[in-house]
Amino acid sequence: MWNSNTVLIILKKDNQPEGTIILAVTDTQIEYLEDMATHIREDVIIMLEKAGSGHSAGSLGTADIFSTLYFHIMKHDPKNPDWEDRDKFVLSNAHICPVLYATLAEAGYYPKKEITTLRKLGSRLQGHPHRGALPGLEASGGPLAQGISIAAGLAMSARIDEKRNRIFCMVGDGEMNEGQIWEALLFIGKNRLHNFTLIVDRNNIQIDGFTEDVMPLEPLKDKLTSFGFHVIEVDGHNIRTLIEAFDETIFEKPKVLLAHTIPGKGVDFMEFKPEWHGKPPNKEEAEKALSELEQLRSLGGKITCEHE
Amino acid sequence: MWNSNTVLIILKKDNQPEGTIILAVTDTQIEYLEDMATHIREDVIIMLEKAGSGHSAGSLGTADIFSTLYFHIMKHDPKNPDWEDRDKFVLSNAHICPVLYATLAEAGYYPKKEITTLRKLGSRLQGHPHRGALPGLEASGGPLAQGISIAAGLAMSARIDEKRNRIFCMVGDGEMNEGQIWEALLFIGKNRLHNFTLIVDRNNIQIDGFTEDVMPLEPLKDKLTSFGFHVIEVDGHNIRTLIEAFDETIFEKPKVLLAHTIPGKGVDFMEFKPEWHGKPPNKEEAEKALSELEQLRSLGGKITCEHE
Amino acid sequence: MSKSLNKKFHLAENIFDSPDQVPARNGYGEGVVEAGKADDNVVVLCCDLTESTRNADFKEAFPNRFIEIGIAEQNMAGIGAGLAFAGKVPFISSYATFNPGRNWDQIRVSICYSMANVKIMGAHAGISVGPDGATHQAMEDIAITRCLPNLTVIVPTDYWETKKAAIAIAKIDSPVYMRFGREKIPVITTEKTPFQIGRADTFRNGKDVTVVACGSLVYEALVAAEKLSKSGIDVRVINCHTIKPIDEKTIIKAANETGAIVTAEEHQVHGGLGNAVAEVVAKNSPVPMEYVAMMDRFGESGEPNELMQKFGLDSKGIVSAIEKVLKRK
Amino acid sequence: MSKSLNKKFHLAENIFDSPDQVPARNGYGEGVVEAGKADDNVVVLCCDLTESTRNADFKEAFPNRFIEIGIAEQNMAGIGAGLAFAGKVPFISSYATFNPGRNWDQIRVSICYSMANVKIMGAHAGISVGPDGATHQAMEDIAITRCLPNLTVIVPTDYWETKKAAIAIAKIDSPVYMRFGREKIPVITTEKTPFQIGRADTFRNGKDVTVVACGSLVYEALVAAEKLSKSGIDVRVINCHTIKPIDEKTIIKAANETGAIVTAEEHQVHGGLGNAVAEVVAKNSPVPMEYVAMMDRFGESGEPNELMQKFGLDSKGIVSAIEKVLKRK
Ligand SMILES: Cc1ncc(C[n+]2csc(CCOP(=O)(O)OP(=O)(O)O)c2C)c(N)n1
Ligand SMILES: Cc1ncc(C[n+]2csc(CCOP(=O)(O)OP(=O)(O)O)c2C)c(N)n1
Ligand SMILES: [Mg+2]
Ligand SMILES: [Mg+2]
């Protein structure tokens, strides 16, 4: 097994280094992260059922990415959410905030029992994230495509201050219909913000149906490449390859993980179905979903999560 | 010489037709169009000097394209500007409206003597085009990137009504910084509006300097291709190749002429200089410019323009 | 039914007992289909929100006249303008926060300045959209449209009025902004209630004070008036569905005859109906006013009724505003 | 110099003879450099308009703190928010038609809702931008910013005030919108004139009627007052540079003491200063009002002074509004 100092250096044709991949992760770690992803999914189901409204498909589909980011990749301190040198994550497709809230709860940013207050009067878990309301939220969101610019501003600030922290930003694929996305990509590309990592939740759905019917994005990889990004296509549910993709260091360009995900992943009757974009499970559906997830966990999961 | 029925059919690998180029233009026609372009440039200089403000570089740089469009390519009738089946042109980079106003005057949409009223109180030649104020204006403009969407709407309407007219739209390269451009490109690409022809005025300048310094667009051809367009790179001052590019029929895709132009073209001391983006010539400069243009015309121009 | 209700408006009989509850957006959905039947040129554009903006029926009925724009509100406004220039009557549709919020500059120039015959539909307007939270609660859309020349601004009061308004605006040749909410609200008008763009309707006669309201607050105003009538206070209620051009005559008359005005709206206090009425009143017949509106703060998540109550956007809030303004008379 | 001018404001001596003529935008340009010197965190963002928005000096002085965004106002607002969250004090800058017009939704959510410490600079505001025509004449920017919670809105009156305001807003930790014009206008304040965000300044004492003005119209109001003093009409002139939060106390006092108010602004009548003042007055001390403003139409090309005259945005327009309001007193 690779130890934590193993580094793979990618060379360009002229033998100059183009990037590195750090191969440091153990099977035990992977299992932990997989288990964490299932916890996050369970939280999401519980929150949404209690809330009676909210976005299921994207929240479930990205749980593996959130687990990987918050429990392996990012430098951050839930006890000191304002730590100056922390890595920062901005959720631009902010409607899937249940997965972010669940992740922050699992990480210990706030008491987990609060997850049942989602979308209720007085809750810190607003229907869409409100910066300042809850520790760990780097940005407000709701109107699509605003987050990527905010993230670019965070990255630019780090650049000005010569800081070494990284900025991560997730966008939805439907969200990429918005012009602001392309404005931001031009800017990030121009400034070669290699402290910036974009994650595209390529789940092929948006509200009105499949993205390639509503507003086709293909060839998306070509688009992103032509905007100056190093594009890594990755299975959004394979934590090992996600880690490798996040860890791959690109010296000259900002990076984008074009993460292929299954909307509703983990809950059989939600998978691949656009109609679950913005619907919560009812009580019965939630129970069914939770039992599916438990099965998933007991199959793969030898680890009990300490935060439970 | 090719006669007007000569058609070159482009075949794809599977021998299915991909497009056609109609090769129909005579040397005499080209000379006429070149001469007309010089007339337009002269009008532009006169207008701008009288106005005391306005945009020189882009107006001069695109005169050859305007001459080609309005005096060869487009089906339109200056005496009946609302003719239902006319081809339509939308100037999205609306700040260069002096070239459009000059062209409309030369074509006979309104009395040429009015060109000296540009930007003055009560004029139909508003500082930026006001739809309805002057015959021949298909859209208002000023805030960049709005025109391309309007043009897409015109093209969509023609599609719905099964009309055979064509829609042309020009955008500036700096203008392509705007997100709305990319929203519109996605839409036009999705709907395969092959009645739509985009012209990019690739003059490499915007207000704050060269485009590749202010907000780089390269590789622009890749970007446009990845958004579903058939891209034709063309010398924006070579009328013969412009005609070929406009006439090339693409069956499956919308088309874009990536027109390489020289900002300020025709007036030596303005060429390639970003500072002439938004400045008019003063009296002395105008005289110098006009004498340069006259020389240009007497060299190449055997034809006297009937509209003079 | 209260005797003070103005007979000529044929309001619903069950208005104070158990009025029907229907979302205003349903009225839009049905109205735009009617408009589409009446005029082949009516087309609908939508930004990836076909179902929730209630455009699904139109899409079903006229698939060739429904244009999916994806999530690109700026582009939608421009495409709408282009279609209008070519003779179509486009309804462009999204949530009111984004349309007109995300495409304001396009609405200003491509549509209003150019007199493009585009109908801008702002769905999910107001705080009553509830749990989605502040970002999705359009509370400034009246302010940012009322300031635009050439634009008519309409805030219908219920299901029927929204339906009639959708049909009526398709028939006029100029840009219109119309907002309506997501939630079920009381149906206070009936099929017979007359609707005319630009006319404020005095639903309830009264001589002591006037409430000028729009949208869902008209019902709350009627309820407030009914309550106060028991204490002998005679409240006039005006349904001011057209915010612009505003019906100055009806408002001036009310100012003169009742001597005090309360405005009520599901919108920020700055720039909305309250300002529109204060503008008219101060210029013509100054009287004391009070505003029932969002007091310059963002909304938050919660159930619609919880929020309306929390921010005083209900009959109780109107009653106390009336009591306040009467003291200043 | 007129005796009615309020001494404590140290207005320019030559105010009614031949005041200096300097564009307000120059004050911004110098002020933001000062702000940059005082605080390393001040950064400037611009959308391909560095020279005309007067950011060239800042760029020269602090090249590493100047960020060229290209022509992308939406992105600029978001990047501004991100920089603010990381502790910077970003000034985001473009023409007032585009900033806040092209990025209104971003200003609403990324900036105002999030309390991002971003300073939004709207250059070339008002009709006085002249020959460029209506599309470039920001006449609705006050309306679309005044309705936004958490946002301070400032319209300084001249070069000095714009400079002081630029310095002052860098020191407060909340979002601000400030608009200023392109053209040379009279410099009526001096280096010594005190400036305080949120306080309306009574530049001229008077008891018959009050003009509440902002921007370049303050000068016109002073000229109008001077003219009318010859006919024995005693006009109070208030420089209301902060449109939001508005100085209610000073306005209510003026309403009570003078009994009639005229507002004057280079902006649409709907949603601007006139509405802000009418809102306060109707709620507190109703008096007759008249509005000097753009009467709900788009501008057009022309020389700045021609346009100001054509649309009555000058001392003559103010004089006739005063005469009108006095008849209604
Ligand atoms: C500017 C804007 N327009 C419209 C919406 C409404 N909306 C919320 S989510 C969504 C679809 C987003 O699609 P995608 O990014 O693919 O997310 P997914 O459905 O995959 O979770 C839409 C249209 C919005 N939030 N913001
Ligand atoms: C939305 C918007 N932002 C800013 C401007 C100001 N502006 C006018 S022209 C221009 C530069 C445009 O560059 P380009 O399209 O390359 O035109 P060129 O200078 O080559 O004529 C800018 C920034 C504008 N008109 N609209
Ligand atoms: Mg998606
Ligand atoms: Mg250019």
Side-chain angles (χ1 to χ4, degrees), chain C residues 148-201:
Chain C
L148 285 172
N150 301 343
L151 189 62
T152 297
V153 178
I154 298 181
V155 183
T157 188
D158 68 355
Y159 158 79
W160 275 114
E161 197 166 276
T162 309
K163 181 165 175 176
K164 287 172 204 156
I167 296 167
I169 61 179
K171 292 180 184 152
I172 63 171
D173 183 15
S174 66
V176 175
Y177 172 61
M178 181 160 91
R179 61 129 57 170
F180 42 85
R182 175 186 195 274
E183 288 302 303
K184 284 184 185 167
I185 50 170
V187 181
I188 59 177
T189 68
T190 60
E191 191 159 6
K192 276 193 194 155
T193 308
F195 173 81
Q196 193 185 306
I197 297 168
R199 190 188 62 196
D201 296 331

Side-chain angles (χ1 to χ4, degrees), chain D residues 12-152:
Chain D
E13 294 289 335
N14 57 357
I15 188 165
F16 297 117
D17 320 326
S18 56
D20 299 350
Q21 304 272 343
V22 182
R25 59 175 169 163
N26 290 14
Y28 161 71
E30 294 173 24
V32 76
V33 170
E34 292 296 313
K37 281 183 196 153
D39 183 352
D40 283 350
N41 283 316
V42 170
V43 294
V44 169
L45 286 68
C46 192
C47 282
D48 197 25
L49 290 167
T50 303
E51 179 54 42
S52 60
T53 55
R54 290 290 184 266
N55 282 309
D57 288 349
F58 187 94
K59 179 182 175 178
E60 171 98 15
F62 309 103
N64 295 331
R65 285 152 56 189
F66 174 81
I67 305 176
E68 173 68 77
I69 304 288
I71 313 166
E73 295 79 7
Q74 301 188 108
N75 193 37
M76 176 168 69
I79 292 177
L83 288 160
F85 297 155
K88 304 288 174 202
V89 183
F91 282 66
I92 66 171
S93 180
S94 181
Y95 294 160
T97 35
F98 313 130
N99 180 45
R102 194 62 166 260
N103 52 12
W104 185 85
D105 189 34
Q106 287 78 13
I107 289 175
R108 176 176 185 264
V109 174
S110 295
I111 296 177
C112 295
Y113 181 50
S114 311
M115 274 300 265
N117 187 19
V118 178
K119 318 303 172 186
I120 304 154
M121 299 295 108
H124 284 35
I127 199 163
S128 57
V129 68
D132 273 339
T135 60
H136 281 55
Q137 294 159 351
M139 300 296 276
E140 302 84 18
D141 55 321
I142 297 176
I144 70 175
T145 51
R146 194 171 71 85
C147 61
L148 286 171
N150 301 343
L151 189 62
T152 296

Side-chain angles (χ1 to χ4, degrees), chain B residues 93 95 172-175 201-207 211 263 277:
Chain B
N93 48 343
H95 59 282
D173 47 4
E175 188 180 9
D201 177 24
R202 186 63 172 128
N203 66 2
N204 292 293
I205 64 160
Q206 55 195 109
I207 294 183
T211 59
H277 154 90

Side-chain angles (χ1 to χ4, degrees), chain B residues 148-287:
Chain B
I148 188 173
S149 298
I150 295 171
L154 294 172
M156 200 65 197
S157 184
R159 155 83 52 97
I160 293 171
D161 295 342
E162 294 176 13
K163 284 195 182 290
R164 306 214 135 263
N165 62 332
R166 293 176 72 182
I167 313 297
F168 298 88
C169 174
M170 183 181 284
V171 297
D173 47 4
E175 188 180 9
M176 301 194 83
N177 299 173
E178 282 286 354
Q180 188 175 356
I181 294 282
W182 305 96
E183 293 181 0
L185 293 179
L186 276 179
F187 178 86
I188 298 160
K190 169 190 176 180
N191 291 288
R192 297 173 176 276
L193 296 173
H194 46 256
N195 56 349
F196 186 93
T197 301
L198 183 68
I199 304 133
V200 176
D201 177 24
R202 186 63 172 128
N203 66 2
N204 292 293
I205 64 160
Q206 55 195 109
I207 294 183
D208 279 352
F210 294 107
T211 59
E212 300 313 289
D213 296 331
V214 175
M215 187 49 67
L217 292 173
E218 291 303 330
L220 183 51
K221 188 176 179 179
D222 289 359
K223 285 188 176 67
L224 292 164
T225 306
S226 73
F227 274 73
F229 278 72
H230 177 75
V231 186
I232 308 174
E233 293 215 56
V234 64
D235 174 354
H237 305 302
N238 182 329
I239 287 181
R240 185 179 293 276
T241 52
L242 278 171
I243 291 175
E244 284 171 7
F246 278 123
D247 274 346
E248 186 175 331
T249 311
I250 314 300
F251 295 121
E252 297 184 345
K253 282 179 175 180
K255 163 161 105 177
V256 52
L257 270 61
L258 190 46
H260 296 277
T261 65
I262 295 166
K265 173 77 181 177
V267 177
D268 207 42
F269 59 91
M270 292 186 181
E271 288 187 4
F272 289 116
K273 303 241 169 60
E275 58 266 35
W276 283 99
H277 154 90
K279 219 174 63 173
N282 62 26
K283 200 148 188 276
E284 206 180 326
E285 290 161 339
E287 275 164 18

Side-chain angles (χ1 to χ4, degrees), chain C residues 306-326:
Chain C
E306 287 175 342
L307 294 170
M308 298 298 274
Q309 206 181 313
K310 168 161 182 176
F311 296 108
L313 305 172
D314 57 2
S315 61
K316 220 174 124 200
I318 295 172
V319 165
S320 44
I322 290 173
E323 286 167 349
K324 228 165 158 185
V325 86
L326 283 174

